Amino acid sequence: MAAPANAEQTQLQDMESDEAKVEEREMDSDEEEDEDGMRVENSDEEEEDSSEDEKENEAEIQRLEEQLSINAFDYNCHVDLIKLLKQEGELVRLRKARQKMSELFPLTEEIWLDWLKDEIRLTEEESNREQVYELFERAIKDYICPEIWLEYAQYSIGGMGSPGGIDKVRSIFERAVTAVGLHMTKGQSVWEAYREFENAILSTLQPPPGKVPRNEEQELIKTQLERIHTLFRRQLAIPLMDMEATYAEYEEWSEHGVPEAVAHQYKKALQQMEKCKPLEEALLVAEPPKLAEYQAYIDFELKVGDPARIQITFERALAENCLVPDMWSKCTKYLDRQLKVKDLVLSTHERAVRNCPWTMSLWKSYLLALERHGADHHTVSDVFEKALNAGFIQATDYVEIWQVYLDYLRRRVDFSKGESLSKSIVYLLYFVRFGESGDPSCVVMQIWARIEALHCKNMQKARELWDNIMTKGNSKYANMWLEYYNLERSYGDSVHCRKALHRAVQCTTDYPEHVCDVLLTFERVEGSLEDWDTAVQKTESRMNRINEQRAKAAEKEANQARQEEERVEQRRKVKAEKKVLKKDQRGAGEKRKAEQEDQDEWNKDSGPKRRRGNVDGTTDEYMETETGLFGRNAPRTKPSAGLKKAPPGHGDAAEKQNDDKSELRDDCCSVFISNLAFTLQEPEATLKALFESCGSIAQVRPIFGHRGVFRGYCYVQFESPASVTEALKLDRRELEGRPMFVSPCVDKNKNPDFKIFKYNTSLEKHKIFISGLPLSCTKEQLEEICKQQGTVKDVRLVTYRSGRPKGLAYVEFADETQASQAVLKMDGVEIEGHKISVAISNPPRRSVNEKPGSSRPVTDMMPRQNYGSRGKGRTQLSLLPRSLHRQAAGVGKVENGTAAEKMEGTANTTGEPRTLSNSDFAKMLLNK
């Protein structure tokens, strides 16, 4: 019976274990399902996020494409579109975007390399390699870049298996070392790649070990070895960085050592490299655009006189300063005058106008170079049409480019066959329509008239042209009439010369005397007596009218000047009257309160006081304050909430210190600090810490009011006058959110007209003025924006006295060209939603009263009365005893010593009135 029971128990245990396993499996499957569900949910969220990003990018792409359809010359818009398309993987649209940009602008090295690498990945088939070769050819024409040449050569190695592939690779390498092999820092990589290619070919020609090469194979090996030797010799003759390693490699590779001639060339190149090394190091440490460093390098190479090195130095400078017209102009001028290689000259001119199409002088040089090198008429005309569509800034630029083209046409015309320039010039006048702003002197028409007279023998047409010129407002100028007279003298007759001079006498207003002298001289030489009398009569009557007009104009000008002076004087009087009236109406209700406060303070003997002995042995007490820049004792004011009060006893201590050091004060060693915050904590310690870098400080004198309130200005005195110059450099340094004003310490009592205006008030072509800036724009942000246009020397944000920005700024560039370029590129740009305006700095003229050193108004020149520490009474009533008034009025009426006796107590031995004591006032009141 026991065995069956055990069997049943075992069976039950097995069933329970099977059920437990099934439950575990179900639980595991449920957990796996939950994990799969979470993964699906996460993948769905990622897909939603990516789809939203794709929609945003697509919307941005469409916006950029629409903007380019409106303005195809927006360079930054092209760059942003290419970046987005590459990010989205839109290869077809990306190719089209790059193509459009390359048609309008020369692309940078980075853009070309990205484009080339993408095209190399897409065109793996052999039939498409030619398209990539064409793209490389376009890339190397924009700029001379060693990286692009190296990429071109390495890509061509992939096709060396095709017929003629090795020769094509060698041809590309030869072009590369010719173009960039002289590059001091990057040329070595091209030479090394060339040698590695030739060494790889040599390794394929070497027979396996133990096998003797045939005669043909030996010849091929010998030829290949000679190629490698030649590459080493050519490279070692060029000054390149790290050329010592190349020499050591050649020594190791060559079985017979380095030939003596190669070693000699290597030493010469090494010496030249050492001379160029400081210039290369200056380029390495300099910040873009490195114009000054490149200019120094170019000057050095011009002195050496190696044309190839001069050219590569120019190319290096242009690669980093492609938007600087002056650099292109210098390069093209050198090529035109020195090298004179047609393909090189014309390609450089073409690149110049593509980079700086707004510069008329580059187009002008391009047209002359085309004519100089015998380009066909169709090519010259096409370049001229492109120049007209380039968008010059000034109308005079169009006139000048037209003059160049017309000169070219004139040189092509064969006047002996009756050809003429009339159609071209009529087209000029119809197409451009310059008006007075473009060609005010009608230079083109003057040239046309002279051509008609000289080459076409058509004086009638020349006279018609000059009549047209005179009707355009030029008849009042003597030089225009004399030009017409000279034309008649050269190609016309005396009758028309006389008519021209008679008309000139009647019409000229600028120099009528000169025209009259020319007419009289002409009649002396060729005229009859009757002609002479007529000329004298006309010139005298004309000069009489001219003199009368000049007298009237002078009288009118004098009247206007007098009226202007009267108006200025009237405005001064009105201003003075308003000022007096304003003082009369100020705070009448607070008069008694102020008087009561003054009386309380007098009774309490408050504030820093000094005792002074009187004649009668008594003492007087009076308030003393620091005399500021304006030479006046500052009025006392109540401390407002939030203003910094001096600690108790601080005023007495400062007064005592000032008294002790009064004899040590020296304005030549001091500066005046103003516009400080009234809440400045510990002004003496703060300013001492700020200015101690300028030199040893003798004392710092902050100015407090009579109730201990800091007044926002102070004096800093140094041990040496040289420290003042350093301290003035801290002018407008920000201190607690306000610009701190630092100026020389000058006593306004001795120099009442002394004023300082730190900045230039005239035209500064190298500086731009920016308005409309957001108030949140910082100096660093603005400097970063302007750095894209050139070298920024200084950035100044204009602020209020409180330190709050006005939205205005001045930016100083290294030269006028960079400033002009900044105006063209930055004007109208939006910064943080604000559209800025940019112009060349030309501040408006300061008014007469604002100019430093100008005379002040009459009301300011009158002597001021010293009303003491409290200031003048607000009611403007005199509180002096009448005896004092009579005394002041009767000083000039001294009779028999009576007045002298009365004034004996009020004057000292020098005759100057002395300060009256309390007892003096008491005596006068009692006498009254």
Side-chain angles (χ1 to χ4, degrees):
M1 294 296 293
N6 292 334
E8 290 179 358
Q9 186 176 2
T10 303
Q11 186 176 2
L12 288 173
Q13 291 176 354
D14 294 338
M15 292 176 64
E16 289 176 356
S17 63
D18 292 338
E19 290 177 358
K21 290 179 181 179
V22 170
E23 289 179 358
E24 289 178 359
R25 291 175 182 173
E26 289 178 354
M27 292 176 64
D28 292 339
S29 63
D30 292 339
E31 291 177 357
E32 290 177 357
E33 290 178 358
D34 292 339
E35 291 178 357
D36 293 338
M38 293 176 64
R39 291 173 183 171
V40 170
E41 290 178 359
N42 292 334
S43 63
D44 293 339
E45 292 178 358
E46 291 176 357
E47 289 179 359
E48 290 178 359
D49 294 338
S50 62
S51 62
E52 290 180 358
D53 293 338
E54 290 177 358
K55 290 179 181 179
E56 292 179 358
N57 291 339
E58 183 62 30
E60 181 65 16
I61 290 171
Q62 292 179 358
R63 186 189 68 81
L64 292 173
E65 289 177 345
E66 291 177 358
Q67 187 172 348
L68 287 175
S69 64
I70 298 173
N71 181 15
F73 291 91
D74 191 338
Y75 185 90
N76 295 327
C77 190
H78 280 285
V79 174
D80 295 339
L81 178 61
I82 290 173
K83 288 181 180 178
L84 278 177
L85 290 174
K86 185 175 181 180
Q87 181 180 344
E88 292 297 315
E90 297 283 347
L91 299 179
V92 178
R93 298 169 68 183
L94 176 61
R95 181 181 292 173
K96 291 181 179 179
R98 286 167 168 167
Q99 184 69 28
K100 289 181 179 179
M101 185 177 181
S102 66
E103 292 173 357
L104 298 174
F105 303 100
L107 305 185
T108 61
E109 178 182 345
E110 293 78 11
I111 297 177
W112 271 120
L113 288 174
D114 289 341
W115 189 2
L116 291 167
K117 290 176 182 177
D118 291 342
E119 292 294 338
I120 290 172
R121 287 194 295 268
L122 293 174
T123 57
E124 296 179 353
E125 300 179 1
E126 188 67 26
S127 59
N128 295 328
R129 293 185 68 86
E130 291 299 327
Q131 298 179 3
V132 181
Y133 283 138
E134 293 177 0
L135 196 61
F136 270 112
E137 290 295 332
R138 290 174 55 188
I140 59 178
K141 289 180 180 179
D142 279 352
Y143 301 107
I144 304 298
C145 299
E147 288 81 1
I148 295 178
W149 275 108
L150 192 59
E151 190 73 23
Y152 190 9
Q154 290 174 349
Y155 177 74
S156 66
I157 293 175
M160 62 184 294
S162 59
I166 295 179
D167 292 337
K168 187 169 185 176
V169 174
R170 284 198 179 109
S171 174
I172 293 173
F173 266 118
E174 284 295 331
R175 292 172 59 194
V177 295
T178 302
V180 297
L182 295 177
H183 197 293
M184 182 73 74
T185 57
K186 299 181 180 180
Q188 184 178 7
S189 59
V190 180
W191 286 103
E192 290 178 352
Y194 196 180
R195 288 203 315 276
E196 289 176 3
F197 167 72
E198 296 294 350
N199 279 318
I201 294 177
L202 177 63
S203 63
T204 61
L205 297 176
Q206 295 286 353
K211 182 179 179 182
V212 179
R214 294 176 298 177
N215 294 332
E216 296 178 356
E217 293 177 347
Q218 290 180 359
E219 288 295 329
L220 290 175
I221 293 173
K222 183 178 180 181
T223 303
Q224 191 64 20
L225 287 173
E226 184 61 29
R227 284 197 183 101
I228 299 174
H229 275 289
T230 303
L231 287 177
F232 270 116
R233 288 195 296 268
R234 290 169 62 187
Q235 181 179 354
L236 290 174
I238 299 172
L240 298 173
M241 301 298 287
D242 198 21
M243 59 187 307
E244 297 89 346
T246 305
Y247 185 80
E249 182 182 351
Y250 187 32
E251 282 183 323
E252 182 181 356
W253 183 86
S254 178
E255 296 179 355
H256 305 288
V258 180
E260 184 179 351
V262 177
H264 179 68
Q265 291 292 332
Y266 165 73
K267 291 179 180 179
K268 288 179 60 177
L270 190 62
Q271 291 176 358
Q272 189 174 358
M273 189 269 290
E274 291 296 332
K275 294 179 181 179
C276 298
K277 198 170 183 179
L279 298 170
E280 292 290 344
E281 292 175 352
L283 287 174
L284 288 175
V285 299
E287 295 182 358
K290 309 177 183 179
L291 274 173
E293 290 76 13
Y294 273 119
Q295 187 59 55
Y297 208 156
I298 292 170
D299 294 339
F300 170 78
E301 294 294 350
L302 287 172
K303 291 179 181 178
V304 175
D306 187 349
R309 293 202 56 79
I310 295 172
Q311 181 191 353
I312 192 62
T313 309
F314 267 119
E315 292 293 347
R316 291 177 62 184
L318 291 171
E320 296 191 39
N321 300 278
C322 57
L323 298 179
V324 180
D326 287 347
M327 188 63 70
W328 283 106
S329 179
K330 292 175 182 177
C331 180
T332 55
K333 187 179 296 184
Y334 172 77
L335 295 177
D336 287 333
R337 297 179 179 179
Q338 301 297 328
L339 293 187
K340 301 180 182 180
V341 180
K342 178 180 178 181
D343 294 338
L344 179 61
V345 170
L346 295 183
S347 63
T348 306
H349 276 289
E350 183 181 3
R351 290 191 292 135
V353 296
R354 287 193 69 199
N355 281 276
C356 305
W358 62 87
T359 308
M360 185 276 303
S361 59
L362 295 179
W363 288 100
K364 178 180 176 181
S365 301
Y366 191 11
L367 289 173
L368 293 173
L370 287 171
E371 183 182 4
R372 193 177 294 117
H373 291 280
D376 59 276
H377 177 66
H378 180 71
T379 303
V380 178
S381 299
D382 287 345
V383 172
F384 172 67
E385 292 294 336
K386 291 179 182 178
L388 292 180
N389 297 324
F392 298 141
I393 301 175
Q394 299 177 349
T396 53
D397 292 340
Y398 286 98
V399 176
E400 192 165 350
I401 202 69
W402 263 104
Q403 287 180 349
V404 175
Y405 185 62
L406 290 174
D407 292 343
Y408 158 74
L409 292 178
R410 198 270 306 164
R411 288 188 284 267
R412 291 186 72 251
V413 170
D414 188 358
F415 292 98
S416 62
K417 296 181 181 180
E419 297 180 5
S420 175
L421 287 175
S422 301
K423 292 183 179 179
S424 300
I425 299 184
V426 169
Y427 174 66
L428 158 71
L429 299 175
Y430 173 78
F431 179 79
V432 184
R433 297 180 183 179
F434 299 116
E436 295 182 359
S437 61
D439 190 13
S441 300
C442 300
V443 176
V444 175
M445 293 184 69
Q446 290 185 43
I447 297 173
W448 184 7
R450 190 165 289 276
I451 291 174
E452 291 287 352
L454 174 62
H455 297 289
C456 302
K457 312 300 181 184
N458 189 355
M459 274 302 298
Q460 183 61 33
K461 181 65 177 178
R463 293 185 183 109
E464 291 176 1
L465 291 172
W466 267 105
D467 288 339
N468 193 8
I469 292 172
M470 292 304 181
T471 57
K472 294 183 178 296
N474 294 305
S475 60
K476 57 185 177 181
Y477 300 117
N479 64 321
M480 299 298 289
W481 284 108
L482 295 178
E483 186 70 25
Y484 178 31
Y485 165 72
N486 291 330
L487 181 68
E488 288 287 357
R489 290 285 288 177
S490 300
Y491 309 106
D493 51 45
S494 59
V495 175
H496 288 88
C497 287
R498 184 175 289 108
K499 288 182 179 180
L501 290 176
H502 278 283
R503 291 174 61 191
V505 169
Q506 296 298 324
C507 299
T508 301
T509 57
D510 55 350
Y511 298 105
E513 297 90 347
H514 185 52
V515 175
C516 291
D517 291 341
V518 173
L519 174 58
L520 295 175
T521 302
F522 174 76
E523 296 298 354
R524 280 194 179 97
V525 175
E526 297 190 12
S528 62
L529 179 59
E530 184 180 355
D531 295 332
W532 170 261
D533 292 338
T534 303
V536 170
Q537 183 179 357
K538 284 191 174 183
T539 54
E540 288 181 352
S541 60
R542 177 59 178 168
M543 290 309 302
N544 289 335
R545 289 197 302 271
I546 290 292
N547 291 331
E548 291 177 1
Q549 293 173 1
R550 289 175 178 174
K552 290 180 180 179
E555 183 180 358
K556 183 178 179 181
E557 185 177 354
N559 292 334
Q560 289 178 351
R562 185 171 59 256
Q563 292 174 3
E564 181 65 25
E565 291 178 358
E566 292 176 355
R567 283 194 294 268
V568 171
E569 185 65 25
Q570 183 65 23
R571 284 196 295 267
R572 289 176 179 174
K573 290 181 180 180
V574 171
K575 187 175 180 180
E577 291 175 358
K578 287 183 179 179
K579 189 174 181 180
V580 173
L581 183 61
K582 188 175 181 180
K583 288 183 178 180
D584 291 342
Q585 296 175 352
R586 187 187 302 163
E590 298 181 359
K591 173 195 169 209
R592 292 184 179 275
K593 184 177 179 181
E595 292 177 349
Q596 184 63 36
E597 289 178 355
D598 290 341
Q599 185 64 33
D600 293 340
E601 290 179 1
W602 181 272
N603 294 334
K604 293 178 182 179
D605 294 332
S606 62
K609 302 181 179 180
R610 294 180 61 188
R611 295 184 179 274
R612 177 177 59 195
N614 295 328
V615 178
D616 55 359
T618 61
T619 60
D620 291 334
E621 293 180 345
Y622 67 97
M623 306 294 291
E624 184 182 20
T625 60
E626 180 74 22
T627 301
L629 178 64
F630 303 98
R632 298 288 179 266
N633 289 332
R636 298 186 318 193
T637 57
K638 284 188 175 183
S640 302
L643 297 184
K644 173 64 181 174
K645 259 194 174 184
H650 184 279
D652 295 332
E655 186 66 31
K656 182 178 180 181
Q657 182 182 3
N658 291 338
D659 289 341
D660 295 339
K661 296 186 177 182
S662 60
E663 69 279 359
L664 300 177
R665 297 180 187 177
D666 186 1
D667 289 346
C668 297
C669 298
S670 303
V671 292
F672 176 65
I673 318 298
S674 60
N675 200 45
L676 300 173
F678 291 166
T679 57
L680 182 64
Q681 300 292 331
E682 300 296 333
E684 183 173 356
T686 302
L687 293 173
K688 187 171 184 179
L690 182 61
F691 283 90
E692 63 184 0
S693 61
C694 302
S696 178
I697 298 176
Q699 56 179 327
V700 178
R701 304 197 300 274
I703 307 305
F704 293 90
H706 297 294
R707 301 184 185 179
V709 178
F710 179 54
R711 302 191 61 190
Y713 62 92
C714 75
Y715 299 85
V716 177
Q717 182 173 333
F718 296 94
E719 297 288 349
S720 171
S723 302
V724 174
T725 304
E726 297 298 323
L728 293 175
K729 295 180 181 178
L730 299 180
D731 184 32
R732 299 181 185 271
R733 170 75 64 86
E734 188 170 308
L735 183 61
E736 293 194 0
R738 294 174 64 90
M740 173 182 67
F741 298 159
V742 184
S743 58
C745 186
V746 178
D747 189 353
K748 277 300 188 71
N749 288 329
K750 300 178 180 178
N751 299 280
D753 293 333
F754 178 80
K755 289 185 180 181
I756 288 182
F757 190 69
K758 181 178 178 181
Y759 304 104
N760 200 343
T761 58
S762 59
L763 175 64
E764 296 177 283
K765 295 184 178 180
H766 64 286
K767 185 182 293 185
I768 63 173
F769 172 70
I770 305 177
S771 60
L773 289 169
L775 301 183
S776 60
C777 182
T778 63
K779 180 178 179 180
E780 291 75 15
Q781 293 174 347
L782 185 58
E783 184 175 3
E784 191 66 27
I785 294 172
C786 295
K787 273 185 177 180
Q788 303 174 7
Q789 313 304 330
T791 304
V792 177
K793 297 180 66 176
D794 185 37
V795 176
R796 176 167 67 91
L797 294 177
V798 183
T799 63
Y800 294 96
R801 293 178 66 91
S802 61
R804 185 168 61 88
K806 293 185 176 182
L808 310 175
Y810 291 89
V811 180
E812 183 179 356
F813 285 91
D815 53 37
E816 301 176 7
T817 303
Q818 296 180 10
S820 302
Q821 183 64 26
V823 172
L824 294 176
K825 295 295 183 181
M826 296 176 59
D827 189 29
V829 172
E830 286 194 6
I831 299 179
E832 298 182 6
H834 292 253
K835 188 174 182 181
I836 65 172
S837 298
V838 185
I840 295 297
S841 175
N842 189 14
R845 291 186 177 182
R846 297 169 62 83
S847 61
V848 176
N849 293 336
E850 293 178 351
K851 290 182 180 179
S854 62
S855 59
R856 297 187 296 173
V858 177
T859 55
D860 294 339
M861 295 298 292
M862 296 176 64
R864 301 181 183 178
Q865 299 180 13
N866 191 352
Y867 299 109
S869 61
R870 182 177 178 272
K872 188 174 181 179
R874 293 180 180 178
T875 59
Q876 302 295 317
L877 296 177
S878 177
L879 299 180
L880 291 176
R882 282 189 294 272
S883 60
L884 285 181
H885 286 285
R886 289 196 300 272
Q887 179 183 7
V891 169
K893 300 180 180 180
V894 179
E895 296 181 3
N896 299 328
T898 305
E901 294 175 359
K902 293 181 180 180
M903 293 296 295
E904 182 179 359
T906 62
N908 54 23
T909 57
T910 60
E912 298 178 357
R914 68 172 179 83
T915 306
L916 299 178
S917 64
N918 289 340
S919 59
D920 294 331
F921 278 99
K923 289 178 181 179
M924 286 185 287
L925 289 173
L926 292 174
N927 292 335
K928 178 61 181 175

